[in-house]
Amino acid sequence: MENIDQLMTPEMVRAAGNMMSSMDPETLESVMKIAGNMGGAGAMDEKAVKEAAEKMKGMTAEELKEMKDDMKSKRSGLTPPPAAAASRLVEKDDQKKEEGEDLAEAGVLKTEGNTLHTEGKYEAAAKKYCDAKELLAARAGEPAAAALIRSCTLNEASCYMQLQQHERVVETCSGVLAQDADNVKALFRRGSAYRQMALAVPQSEGGAGAED
């Protein structure tokens, strides 16, 4: 008998997904009944099976390995289910959608902040940028999220520049430079803030006089 690795090649899994997604309801119901009698997908309803079929079409190597491991475990009597593996595919897809929604929502907040910045409403704009960063804080290690956080942070620093809050500019830009030491905007804005802070310090009495 062929083993799981021989039976579940990427090509065969994609073919199975295409076949399942194109089944008419009557045929799909019959397949579900047979799978249920075999201890397989009986716990899944028609919608779940259809969703699993769609995931199978574009299944990654990692997801295929997980499904194979589930099948092997079932044969060893350790766990139930191809159904569990298919359900996890649906859950992973839902998670990816949620992550994409977070990025999209943060992008909207940044755009709203940009509009407020253009209108000269710098405090409100800074709040939008902070909200966007907070939304993505848990995903700061991901490239797309990190890039959006960095962009919002630089825009936040621009707001503080306009508000003459130079210490906050320094603090904000230093956070960017801790991750990206050569960031030109962060270097320029922090340097400008340091210059303004130095100009604001009153000189000592007589300190500016000519030497004898």
Side-chain angles (χ1 to χ4, degrees), residues 2 6 9 11-12 14 19 24 34 42 56 65 91 94 106 111 113-114 127 134 136 144 159 168 171 178 187 206:
E2 294 179 298
Q6 291 173 322
T9 64
E11 293 76 15
M12 293 182 70
R14 282 193 289 270
M19 180 180 68
D24 59 75
I34 294 172
M56 288 169 71
K65 182 179 181 300
E91 291 171 2
D94 290 341
T111 300
N114 291 348
K127 178 66 167 56
E134 183 177 351
L136 298 176
C159 291
R168 297 187 74 177
E171 179 183 357
L187 288 168

Side-chain angles (χ1 to χ4, degrees), residues 16-37 40-54 56 86:
N18 288 328
M19 180 180 68
M20 289 172 64
S21 62
S22 62
M23 286 181 181
D24 59 75
E26 184 177 349
T27 303
L28 182 59
E29 183 179 359
S30 298
V31 171
M32 290 170 63
K33 286 181 180 179
I34 294 172
N37 292 334
M44 299 176 67
D45 59 21
E46 181 178 337
K47 179 182 177 182
V49 173
K50 286 284 190 181
E51 289 179 349
E54 290 301 316
M56 288 169 71

Side-chain angles (χ1 to χ4, degrees), residues 63 110-111 149 191:
E63 291 167 341
K110 179 191 171 186
T111 300
I149 290 172

Side-chain angles (χ1 to χ4, degrees), residues 7 21 27 34 41 43 55 83 89 112 129 131-132 134 151-152:
L7 290 170
S21 62
T27 303
I34 294 172
K55 307 306 170 294
L89 289 177
E112 292 175 351
Y129 298 135
D131 288 345
E134 183 177 351
S151 179
C152 286

Side-chain angles (χ1 to χ4, degrees), residues 41-92:
M44 299 176 67
D45 59 21
E46 181 178 337
K47 179 182 177 182
V49 173
K50 286 284 190 181
E51 289 179 349
E54 290 301 316
K55 307 306 170 294
M56 288 169 71
K57 294 180 187 178
M59 188 180 293
T60 65
E62 181 183 353
E63 291 167 341
L64 178 58
K65 182 179 181 300
E66 287 187 9
M67 180 171 280
K68 287 180 182 179
D69 289 342
D70 281 330
M71 295 286 286
K72 290 175 183 177
S73 297
K74 182 181 177 246
R75 284 192 173 186
S76 302
L78 298 177
T79 57
S87 296
R88 275 206 299 275
L89 289 177
V90 175
E91 291 171 2
K92 281 189 174 183

Side-chain angles (χ1 to χ4, degrees), residues 141-212:
E142 301 174 18
L148 186 51
I149 290 172
R150 180 169 55 250
S151 179
C152 286
T153 304
L154 290 168
N155 289 356
E156 181 187 353
S158 176
C159 291
Y160 298 147
M161 285 287 290
Q162 296 295 332
L163 293 167
Q164 303 294 305
Q165 297 177 4
H166 303 302
E167 290 184 0
R168 297 187 74 177
V169 175
V170 171
E171 179 183 357
T172 305
C173 290
S174 293
V176 172
L177 293 168
Q179 303 295 325
D180 181 9
D182 298 322
N183 189 284
V184 175
K185 287 184 178 180
L187 288 168
F188 175 78
R189 288 173 186 168
R190 188 174 70 172
S192 298
Y194 276 137
R195 181 174 181 276
Q196 292 300 320
M197 290 167 68
L199 291 173
V201 176
Q203 296 180 334
S204 300
E205 185 176 348
E211 294 183 1
D212 292 335

